[in-house]
Amino acid sequence: MVKTDVQAEALSAVDKRAVMHTYARQPLQIVRGSGCNVYDERGGSYLDFTSGIAVNALGHCHPALVAAVTDQVQTLWHMSNLYLTGPQAQLAGRLTEACGMDRAFFCNSGAEANEAAIKLARRYAKTRYGAHKGEVLTFANSFHGRTIATVTATAQPKYQEGFGPLPGGFRYVESFSMAAVREAVTPKTCAVMIEPIQGEGGVRPVPAAFLRELREYCDKTGLLLIFDEVQTGAGRTGAWLAAQRMGVAPDIVTLAKALGGGLPMGATLAREDVAAAFTPGAHGSTFGGNPVAARAALAVLDVVLAPGFLDGVKRRGEQLQAALCEVAMHTDRIQDIRGMGLMWGVEISGAGAAEVVEKCRDLGLLVLTAGPSTLRLLPPLVVSAAEIERAVAILAEALA
Ligand SMILES: *Cc1c(COP(=O)(O)O)cnc(C)c1O
């Protein structure tokens, strides 16, 4: 055995012994990444269609990200939010413009961005309509995070088991229909929170017509509309926000995953009158908007908003969709293909998604699941036409 194998086995043993068992790990140790490829400890290479779960939008070690982060770590790492730092202010300006929002709050993860959205919506509604307001509606099969509040917002029992008592103030809407929304609303309701495309819940795009109805209903009733774009945001769907691609403007939008290109970075953005509910001391974060993470996010914005980049994401997305449909014509194992831009779910017959993930991995392609029967493809946004062709050929072989 070569030395690296010994080291790899030792690390695997420590991992099994000393890390809490919250993850079902793939039997791979990834040691290096470049573009859309990653390499394991034995030198094996894999086409990465997971992007670290929609995080590495620019692939691995993109030169613009490496340069921005390297420059910042040699300048200033952290100061706390008691002082203004340039990268955060610059990012706030660029990000609010990209999102069509007025103000941003920075944090470090998707769950925290949603926590801030929930707190903001409650404070806004209480100030404006009275102390009784505070309930937030979320949808069946949603995913909003793992903190106690966001796991309660997540309307899937499997994520909540064993964590009670769960906080009150959340009600679940059973389907993407206005009848179901009206049934769930009470006099205490202050906001509706929705992922424009449900990610973890099975890659389920919400019909744009329903989002428009929801917008009208919120306008009429004074409810706030919160879009959780933690997975769909930052270019994933071929627009900076899925909201923009679907033509519906939320009152609050949350981002994380791809925003920092791989560094922990989350943001909650809102319109001016809503954002005004956060006064000094009302909310905060020690690390949020840290200069290194902010520089990374600025580099992501530079690349993704460069002329033509998002059109490229749309074109690659259409290519991927067409190629998946072609595969579906030659197998009875694909039940459905759903998605937008470079976020696709492939429904596999007989709850066999995990087995397809294993086969793909053995053939050199990393993909994800989203529930037991959905295969999830989230390539880096910089993926090439040839890489998509290669990935779909591997997938077809895995399904054969
Ligand atoms: C991943 C995800 C979250 C949680 O993000 P974390 O960074 O893991 O806290 C929340 N909402 C959606 C839609 C997500 O995909």
Side-chain angles (χ1 to χ4, degrees), residues 34-38 46-60 203 231-238 257-258 304 309-310 312-321 323-324 338-346 365-368 375-392 395:
S34 173
C36 297
N37 294 289
V38 292
Y46 302 84
L47 197 47
D48 181 10
F49 269 44
T50 72
S51 301
I53 318 186
V55 168
N56 302 304
L58 307 187
H60 297 271
V203 191
Q231 190 157 156
T232 53
R236 179 54 55 187
T237 66
K257 291 199 164 92
V304 173
F309 185 88
L310 286 169
V313 171
K314 275 191 203 156
R315 273 199 308 277
R316 292 283 88 82
E318 282 158 17
Q319 181 201 346
L320 180 53
Q321 179 184 23
L324 291 171
R338 302 182 291 263
M340 193 182 283
L342 284 171
M343 177 173 182
W344 288 92
V346 179
L365 171 69
L366 303 185
V367 292
L368 298 157
L375 210 62
R376 183 170 33 152
L377 308 182
L378 296 167
L381 305 184
V382 295
V383 70
S384 71
E387 285 164 334
I388 287 179
E389 249 175 68
R390 191 148 61 86
V392 175
L395 177 59

Side-chain angles (χ1 to χ4, degrees), residues 109-112 114 143-146 195 200 228 230-231 256-257:
S109 69
E112 280 177 280
N114 287 334
F143 184 86
H144 298 297
R146 305 282 200 159
E195 300 155 82
E200 304 303 309
D228 176 349
V230 168
Q231 190 157 156
K257 291 199 164 92

Side-chain angles (χ1 to χ4, degrees), residues 17-380:
R17 185 181 75 238
V19 177
M20 288 200 192
H21 284 153
T22 56
Y23 306 106
R25 292 209 204 279
Q26 296 287 323
L28 282 187
Q29 281 181 43
I30 301 301
V31 295
R32 191 166 64 81
S34 173
C36 297
N37 294 289
V38 292
Y39 303 87
D40 69 14
E41 83 286 1
R42 287 157 203 269
S45 77
Y46 302 84
L47 197 47
D48 181 10
F49 269 44
T50 72
S51 301
I53 318 186
V55 168
N56 302 304
L58 307 187
H60 297 271
C61 297
H62 189 287
L65 264 173
V66 172
V69 169
T70 303
D71 177 59
Q72 192 59 45
V73 294
Q74 290 170 340
T75 310
L76 181 73
W77 288 31
H78 180 81
M79 252 327 274
S80 91
N81 282 303
L82 299 176
Y83 304 89
L84 180 155
T85 52
Q88 184 184 133
Q90 225 187 320
L91 177 62
R94 298 275 310 276
L95 192 58
T96 49
E97 192 188 339
C99 294
M101 288 286 177
D102 296 314
R103 286 182 190 272
F105 173 83
F106 293 107
C107 55
N108 317 283
S109 69
E112 280 177 280
N114 287 334
E115 288 270 349
I118 293 162
K119 287 177 75 174
L120 181 62
R122 286 184 174 172
R123 233 173 124 96
Y124 170 84
K126 282 178 202 299
T127 316
R128 182 166 283 226
Y129 305 111
H132 64 291
K133 288 282 186 184
E135 269 175 12
V136 177
L137 304 188
T138 61
F139 288 79
N141 294 312
S142 58
F143 184 86
H144 298 297
R146 305 282 200 159
T147 61
I148 284 287
T150 59
V151 88
T152 307
T154 294
Q156 296 194 63
K158 71 172 176 187
Y159 291 107
Q160 300 172 344
E161 241 173 73
F163 296 130
L166 298 176
F170 295 94
R171 285 170 63 85
Y172 306 140
V173 182
E174 286 310 316
S175 64
F176 301 136
S177 79
M178 288 317 298
V181 171
R182 283 192 199 92
E183 202 176 296
V185 166
T186 77
K188 296 180 186 168
T189 308
C190 70
V192 182
M193 181 153 83
I194 190 165
E195 300 155 82
I197 302 173
Q198 289 185 331
E200 304 303 309
V203 191
R204 296 168 206 275
V206 179
F210 174 67
L211 291 176
R212 280 194 296 273
E213 284 183 291
L214 204 51
R215 177 69 275 176
E216 278 170 30
Y217 179 79
C218 288
D219 285 340
K220 241 187 304 182
T221 54
L223 300 183
L224 291 177
L225 183 57
I226 305 171
F227 276 9
D228 176 349
E229 293 230 28
V230 168
Q231 190 157 156
T232 53
R236 179 54 55 187
T237 66
W240 176 253
L241 297 178
Q244 293 160 342
R245 180 120 198 227
M246 292 166 141
V248 179
D251 302 301
I252 301 175
V253 65
T254 59
L255 292 170
K257 291 199 164 92
L259 183 55
L263 288 194
M265 161 61 79
T268 306
L269 294 111
R271 279 195 342 243
E272 182 68 42
D273 61 322
V274 177
F278 272 172
T279 48
H283 192 49
S285 164
T286 298
F287 291 114
N290 160 296
V292 180
R295 279 295 293 277
L298 280 165
V300 170
L301 275 160
D302 280 342
V303 173
V304 173
L305 296 182
F309 185 88
L310 286 169
D311 286 334
V313 171
K314 275 191 203 156
R315 273 199 308 277
R316 292 283 88 82
E318 282 158 17
Q319 181 201 346
L320 180 53
Q321 179 184 23
L324 291 171
C325 291
E326 177 70 25
V327 174
M329 293 204 301
H330 299 101
T331 171
D332 55 4
R333 299 200 57 201
I334 295 181
Q335 302 292 305
D336 193 16
I337 295 168
R338 302 182 291 263
M340 193 182 283
L342 284 171
M343 177 173 182
W344 288 92
V346 179
E347 185 91 21
I348 304 291
S349 59
E355 182 204 319
V356 180
V357 167
E358 279 172 36
K359 286 216 173 107
C360 285
R361 184 193 68 219
D362 292 344
L363 294 167
L365 171 69
L366 303 185
V367 292
L368 298 157
T369 59
S373 61
T374 307
L375 210 62
R376 183 170 33 152
L377 308 182
L378 296 167

